[in-house]
């Protein structure tokens, strides 16, 4: 019987469906993909105007699924990783049961982020930047209907992320598990290592082969890593 949940938060522009394969590949952990507004099953809902709005929304979506009789953990990639970071602080402030483990993937330490304004770029330059990161099928950029559909979602996500400022200075009293791609320029040196300053617990770094979207290229390896930690943790109990 599964007695632990892993709430998974997607990256900018993505739907919760990116974690569907995780659900099929995993039988030991209850994978719970979190759908963000304006995409997938929530396509008709308005996109977030601020990062705080996104965090509040995710908090409300998981709070009813947390109970005293089961454990849960959090996983977020890129923008999802920043949401996880702020979500944990929200959980601390609300005195809610803390997650067992906190997995932050493909995400620079929030106090080391560069002041980029990609969301303000004209359409062609904007999509060129997105394409350079990888993770998006080239067909999306070649199809006007698809760019018209996904463009506003991507631009809105980039806007709230680029305008986000980390104002929480209280340290997290839990271990952090930081996943990164070995060729991801956002995971270089200080940008990554300073995650250690955000917790009084241990900060574990796990490298994977690939760039920013290593979670797609190395999907099985990423899931096996996360699963091994959670299964080992629960087997101790």
């Amino acid at each position: 019987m599964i007695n632990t949940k892993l709430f998974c938060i997607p990256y900018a522009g993505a739907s919760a469906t990116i974690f569907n394969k995780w659900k099929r590949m995993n039988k030991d952990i209850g994978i719970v993909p979190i759908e963000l507004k304006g995409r997938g099953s929530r396509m008709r809902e308005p996109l977030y105007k601020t990062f705080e709005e996104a965090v509040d929304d995710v908090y409300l979506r998981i709070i009813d699924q947390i109970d005293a009789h089961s454990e849960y953990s959090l996983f977020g990639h890129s923008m999802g990783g920043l949401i996880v970071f702020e979500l944990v602080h929200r959980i601390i402030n609300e005195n809610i049961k803390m997650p067992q483990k906190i997995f932050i993937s493909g995400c620079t330490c929030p106090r080391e982020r560069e002041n980029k304004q990609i969301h303000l770029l004209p359409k062609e330059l904007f999509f060129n930047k997105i394409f350079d990161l990888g993770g998006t099928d080239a067909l999306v950029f070649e199809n006007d209907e698809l760019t018209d559909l996904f463009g506003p979602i991507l631009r809105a996500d980039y806007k709230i992320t680029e305008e986000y400022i980390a104002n929480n200075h209280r340290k997290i009293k839990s271990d952090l598990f930081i996943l990164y791609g070995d060729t991801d320029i956002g995971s270089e040196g200080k940008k990554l290592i300073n995650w250690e300053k955000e917790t009084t617990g241990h900060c574990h770094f796990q490298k994977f082969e690939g760039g920013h979207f290593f979670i797609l290229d190395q999907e099985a390896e990423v899931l096996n890593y996360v699963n091994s930690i959670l299964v080992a943790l629960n087997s101790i109990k």
Side-chain angles (χ1 to χ4, degrees):
M1 179 179 178
I2 294 174
N3 63 355
T4 187
K5 297 176 180 177
L6 179 65
F7 295 103
C8 300
I9 305 171
Y11 46 84
S15 165
T17 57
I18 64 168
F19 296 111
N20 282 352
K21 191 182 292 186
W22 287 31
K23 296 171 70 173
R24 296 193 298 269
M25 295 168 61
N26 187 288
K27 299 184 183 301
D28 300 306
I29 303 298
I31 303 295
V32 184
I34 298 297
E35 191 72 274
L36 303 178
K37 286 184 177 182
R39 67 214 76 195
S41 61
R42 305 181 72 188
M43 180 66 75
R44 296 185 181 278
E45 297 184 49
L47 296 165
Y48 305 115
K49 294 182 179 179
T50 66
F51 196 82
E52 291 74 17
E53 184 183 339
V55 175
D56 289 345
D57 178 55
V58 173
Y59 173 80
L60 292 175
R61 291 184 71 80
I62 73 167
I63 194 63
D64 290 338
Q65 302 185 63
I66 299 173
D67 61 69
H69 307 293
S70 62
E71 302 293 345
Y72 76 100
S73 295
L74 300 172
F75 179 97
H77 183 79
S78 198
M79 181 183 80
L82 290 178
I83 291 177
V84 164
F85 174 71
E86 287 295 333
L87 185 62
V88 171
H89 282 286
R90 175 72 182 272
I91 289 169
I92 293 171
N93 292 339
E94 297 291 340
N95 198 28
I96 304 299
K97 182 179 181 179
M98 284 289 289
Q100 275 186 309
K101 297 297 178 184
I102 301 165
F103 298 94
I104 296 177
S105 172
C107 184
T108 301
C109 179
R111 294 179 226 289
E112 296 297 333
R113 297 168 63 241
E114 297 177 7
N115 183 25
K116 296 182 178 180
Q117 297 293 307
I118 294 175
H119 73 278
L120 295 177
L121 293 174
K123 183 177 180 179
E124 184 175 353
L125 290 177
F126 176 74
F127 277 109
N128 284 342
K129 288 286 187 181
I130 303 299
F131 183 72
D132 288 344
L133 282 175
T136 305
D137 195 311
L139 292 176
V140 172
F141 304 102
E142 298 169 2
N143 186 305
D144 287 340
E145 290 184 3
L146 290 177
T147 57
D148 288 344
L149 176 63
F150 291 107
I153 300 172
L154 279 164
R155 200 178 288 274
D157 285 352
Y158 268 77
K159 179 180 183 295
I160 65 171
T161 302
E162 291 174 347
E163 292 178 347
Y164 156 71
I165 298 174
N167 291 318
N168 288 305
H169 296 288
R170 181 190 302 179
K171 292 191 176 184
I172 297 169
K173 297 180 180 179
S174 301
D175 290 355
L176 296 179
F177 293 82
I178 309 299
L179 291 67
Y180 67 99
D182 60 1
T183 60
D184 184 358
I185 60 173
S187 298
E188 295 173 345
K190 185 178 178 182
K191 295 178 182 179
L192 191 70
I193 200 68
N194 274 356
W195 274 114
E196 293 180 333
K197 297 180 180 180
E198 301 299 332
T199 179
T200 58
H202 293 291
C203 193
H204 308 268
F205 295 93
Q206 183 64 36
K207 180 172 66 175
F208 293 88
E209 183 179 339
H212 188 62
F213 287 101
F214 65 89
I215 65 162
L216 301 179
D217 300 328
Q218 308 294 333
E219 189 170 34
E221 289 78 3
V222 171
L223 181 57
N224 286 339
Y225 170 72
V226 172
N227 188 66
S228 66
I229 292 170
L230 296 180
V231 170
L233 180 67
N234 288 295
S235 67
I236 296 173
K237 298 189 174 184

